[in-house]
Each structure stands twice: as structure tokens, then as C-alpha cells.
């Protein structure tokens, strides 16, 4: 027979779960330590720690009994900001801050319970050196962290002309490593930014026409990523595409220009006025009559002609015989 759960048991289980979650969320990040034997309580320990940007980091002090601690001081030396100090006095529970303005850096818990330092969320500006100094009745103990913030790069793969592709790992920290499959004729370059990130791009070409698809692989501390892409066809082997995309538009432009000029020529020809016809003889008659009347030679010839006509009439009537 299975015993039923009592209310007190459920509450105890809930409290234990919350405690475990709290402990796990404030667990220390030790990283790679230069001194391995922490239980021997050395005077000074230095740790190299890499944290991904946007996550939470908890840095812990020496694991010594807090009942012996008189003063706990965190000294924060960022990469590009002034030094900050946060202190806690064990006897008076007094907390002081000196030149500390970053609200993302706080105590991991109550200093008398857990004097660890919490950074949430981690940013690039948190690169630097962090040291916990503990003054106790049995001596002074230091634990330092060389904190490096890692940034995942943005990976892209783009095909370009002439059977070439470009793979980029943009703004990563540290610099990413780029490799290709199959291996081609590659050139890799880097660009360093002011915030400490690095952009890496690799340009590869595959002259062999048997290679139709390629894969770019990017290796980084925050994980690996691979992208695949088909290569663009070689222009040398696609003359019909060259004609279609280059020659044909040019021919259309030339034909359109010629047709436009022909239309303009025809329009101008239709609008041109016809030539004035030759002046009719009737229209010139007034001018001729005027010329005859005003010309003295014309008058003399006309008089002579009239005299001949009169003489002929007289002869016809027989007047000359008288």
C-alpha cells in the first residue's frame, strides 16, 4: 500500500526544490585555474574564465568559513572603464561601493551568506579582471578572475559569379575559424572592430566544373555552424544566358531608338507645308496689262498696227482710186 503525501511533505519538497534552484543559479564559475588545490587554501588563486555574452556569470571568493571573515572586497578592473570596488564588513554588515555604476554587477546573494559576485547579463564591457579579497582572522585570501566575454558570430554564405562563394563570420569574439568542403582556391581576411570583435570572411573559387555545391564550416567557442550553397553557373559555359541577359536588351534599345527616329521623321514630313503652285497665267494677266499700258514701245507699236488696219479698210473700199 502506497502512503499518501502529507501537506507538510509537499511543503518540504517545494522548499528543497527552491533551495536547489537558488544554489544552482548562484554556483561559482571557476574556469581554468592556475592553482588546482583549492582545499589547501592558498593565499592567491587566479582563474581564466570565458563567458558567453548575454548569459549570467557568478564569481566566487575563497571557500573559507565566513565566521572568520572581517572584510570582503571585490575589486573590478574593466577593460575600458574606471576601477570599481564593493566592500562588506563582517562585524557591522556594512556595504560600501566606490565608483561602481554598473547595475548589472551585484552580490550573488547576501554577502554574509554568499559573498560571490554576479554579472547578469554579461556584456562586452565586462571584459577585465575581478578579484575577491578576504581579510580573515587567520590571514588574507585573494581569488582573481581574468574574465573574457565571448560573442557568437553571425554566419552567412553567399555565392558570387565565376564559381565563387564568400563565407562570413561577422563580429565574433574571439575570431572564428572558417573551413570549406570541398577545398577550393581560398583567401581569408579579418577586420577588427573597436569593441573587440572580429569579422572573418573567406572567399573561395572552384575552377573545376564538377563542383556544384559547397559547404562552409565555422568553428567558434560558442559552437560550430555549417552552411551549404549551390554555386552559380560559369558564364563561359552559358552563352545563351549571356545573349539573353546582355545582347538582347541592347538590341531592343537599338531597335527602339531607330523606330523612334523614323516616327519623328514621318511626323515632321506630314506637318511640312506643300510647295506653292506656279502662278497661273490669269493671275499674271493684270501685271502684263499694266506693263503693256505703261510701256512707250508698246504704245508706238499699237499705233502702227492701228494705222495699217485703217489703211487696209480704205483700200478695200476703193478710196485709193479717187
Amino acid at each position: 500500500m502506497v502512503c499518501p503525501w502529507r501537506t507538510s511533505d509537499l511543503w518540504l519538497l517545494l522548499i528543497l526544490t527552491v533551495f536547489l534552484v537558488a544554489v544552482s543559479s548562484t554556483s561559482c564559475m571557476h574556469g581554468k585555474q592556475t592553482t588546482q588545490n583549492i582545499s589547501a587554501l592558498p593565499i592567491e588563486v587566479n582563474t581564466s574564465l570565458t563567458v558567453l555574452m548575454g548569459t549570467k556569470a557568478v564569481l566566487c571568493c575563497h571557500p573559507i568559513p565566513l565566521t572568520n571573515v572581517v572584510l570582503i572586497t571585490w575589486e573590478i578592473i574593466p577593460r575600458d572603464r574606471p576601477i570599481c570596488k564593493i566592500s562588506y564588513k563582517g562585524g557591522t554588515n556594512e556595504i560600501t561601493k566606490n565608483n561602481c555604476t554598473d547595475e548589472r554587477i551585484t552580490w550573488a546573494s547576501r554577502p554574509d551568506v554568499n559573498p560571490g559576485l554576479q554579472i547578469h547579463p554579461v556584456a562586452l564591457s565586462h571584459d577585465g579582471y575581478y578579484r575577491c579579497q578576504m581579510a580573515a582572522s587567520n590571514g588574507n585570501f585573494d581569488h582573481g578572475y581574468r574574465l573574457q566575454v565571448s560573442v557568437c558570430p553571425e554566419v552567412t554564405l553567399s555565392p558570387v559569379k565565376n564559381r565563387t562563394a564568400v563565407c562570413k563570420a561577422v563580429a565574433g569574439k574571439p575570431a572564428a575559424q572558417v573551413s570549406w568542403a570541398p577545398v577550393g582556391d581560398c583567401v581569408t581576411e579579418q577586420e577588427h572592430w573597436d569593441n573587440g570583435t572580429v569579422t572573418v570572411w573567406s572567399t573561395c573559387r572552384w575552377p573545376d566544373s564538377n563542383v556544384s555545391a559547397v559547404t562552409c564550416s565555422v568553428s567558434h567557442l560558442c559552437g560550430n555552424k555549417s552552411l551549404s550553397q549551390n554555386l552559380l553557373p560559369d558564364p563561359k559555359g552559358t552563352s545563351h544566358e549571356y545573349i539573353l541577359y546582355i545582347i538582347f536588351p541592347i538590341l531592343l534599345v537599338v531597335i527602339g531608338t531607330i523606330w523612334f527616329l523614323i516616327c519623328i521623321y514621318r511626323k515632321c514630313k506630314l506637318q511640312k507645308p506643300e510647295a506653292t503652285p506656279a502662278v497661273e497665267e490669269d493671275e499674271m494677266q493684270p501685271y502684263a496689262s499694266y506693263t503693256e499700258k505703261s510701256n512707250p514701245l508698246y504704245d508706238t507699236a499699237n499705233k502702227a498696227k492701228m494705222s495699217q488696219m485703217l489703211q487696209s479698210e480704205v483700200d478695200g473700199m476703193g478710196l485709193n482710186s479717187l
Side-chain angles (χ1 to χ4, degrees):
M1 180 176 179
V2 180
C3 297
W5 285 91
R6 294 179 299 178
T7 305
S8 59
D9 295 335
L10 293 176
W11 277 108
L12 180 62
L13 179 61
L14 179 61
I15 293 172
L16 180 61
T17 302
V18 172
F19 174 76
L20 292 176
V21 171
V23 171
S24 63
S25 64
T26 58
S27 59
C28 298
M29 306 179 68
H30 294 295
K32 183 179 180 181
Q33 300 173 358
T34 56
T35 302
Q36 297 294 332
N37 191 7
I38 298 297
S39 61
L41 296 180
I43 295 177
E44 184 175 358
V45 175
N46 286 303
T47 302
S48 295
L49 184 62
T50 300
V51 182
L52 182 62
M53 186 179 71
T55 61
K56 179 172 67 174
V58 178
L59 312 179
C60 293
C61 301
H62 266 296
I64 62 176
L66 297 180
T67 55
N68 299 329
V69 175
V70 178
L71 178 65
I72 301 174
T73 301
W74 274 100
E75 184 180 30
I76 304 170
I77 308 175
R79 179 170 56 90
D80 54 358
R81 288 183 298 172
I83 298 176
C84 158
K85 287 186 178 182
I86 304 175
S87 300
Y88 165 76
K89 290 184 179 181
T92 61
N93 292 329
E94 181 183 356
I95 297 177
T96 60
K97 293 183 178 181
N98 183 15
N99 205 26
C100 300
T101 58
D102 193 339
E103 297 181 354
R104 293 167 293 185
I105 301 177
T106 60
W107 294 101
S109 179
R110 288 171 43 189
D112 57 338
V113 176
N114 180 8
L117 192 70
Q118 174 179 286
I119 308 173
H120 185 239
V122 175
L124 277 173
S125 58
H126 294 139
D127 259 349
Y129 185 73
Y130 298 75
R131 180 170 58 185
C132 176
Q133 299 172 317
M134 304 180 71
S137 58
N138 55 342
N140 297 330
F141 303 90
D142 290 354
H143 193 162
Y145 293 88
R146 293 183 178 89
L147 183 64
Q148 295 180 344
V149 179
S150 176
V151 181
C152 294
E154 180 181 355
V155 181
T156 60
L157 175 59
S158 304
V160 294
K161 61 182 181 179
N162 298 331
R163 302 183 55 76
T164 303
V166 178
C167 184
K168 288 186 177 182
V170 181
K173 185 176 180 293
Q177 301 294 324
V178 180
S179 59
W180 292 90
V183 178
D185 184 10
C186 304
V187 176
T188 302
E189 300 176 85
Q190 294 185 358
E191 185 173 2
H192 295 261
W193 302 100
D194 294 338
N195 59 2
T197 60
V198 183
T199 295
V200 181
W201 68 92
S202 179
T203 305
C204 282
R205 186 174 185 273
W206 291 265
D208 186 3
S209 59
N210 294 328
V211 179
S212 58
V214 297
T215 300
C216 166
S217 299
V218 176
S219 302
H220 196 263
L221 291 177
C222 63
N224 302 329
K225 187 173 184 179
S226 296
L227 296 177
S228 298
Q229 182 67 54
N230 293 327
L231 295 176
L232 296 179
D234 194 344
K236 294 181 180 179
T238 56
S239 58
H240 63 283
E241 294 184 359
Y242 179 78
I243 294 175
L244 178 63
Y245 294 108
I246 303 298
I247 303 300
F248 186 67
I250 295 177
L251 289 176
L252 287 179
V253 172
V254 173
I255 294 173
T257 303
I258 295 175
W259 179 257
F260 179 72
L261 294 176
I262 291 175
C263 291
I264 292 178
Y265 174 76
R266 289 180 176 178
K267 185 176 180 181
C268 293
K269 186 176 180 181
L270 292 175
Q271 292 180 353
K272 184 178 180 180
E274 297 183 357
T276 304
V279 180
E280 298 294 338
E281 184 177 357
D282 294 341
E283 294 178 359
M284 295 297 294
Q285 188 64 32
Y287 174 76
S289 301
Y290 173 79
T291 304
E292 292 175 355
K293 293 178 181 180
S294 59
N295 191 343
L297 295 177
Y298 175 80
D299 293 341
T300 304
N302 193 27
K303 291 179 180 180
K305 186 176 181 180
M306 293 295 294
S307 298
Q308 290 178 359
M309 291 176 63
L310 292 175
Q311 185 65 36
S312 298
E313 291 179 359
V314 171
D315 291 343
M317 295 174 64
L319 294 177
N320 293 333
S321 62
L322 297 178

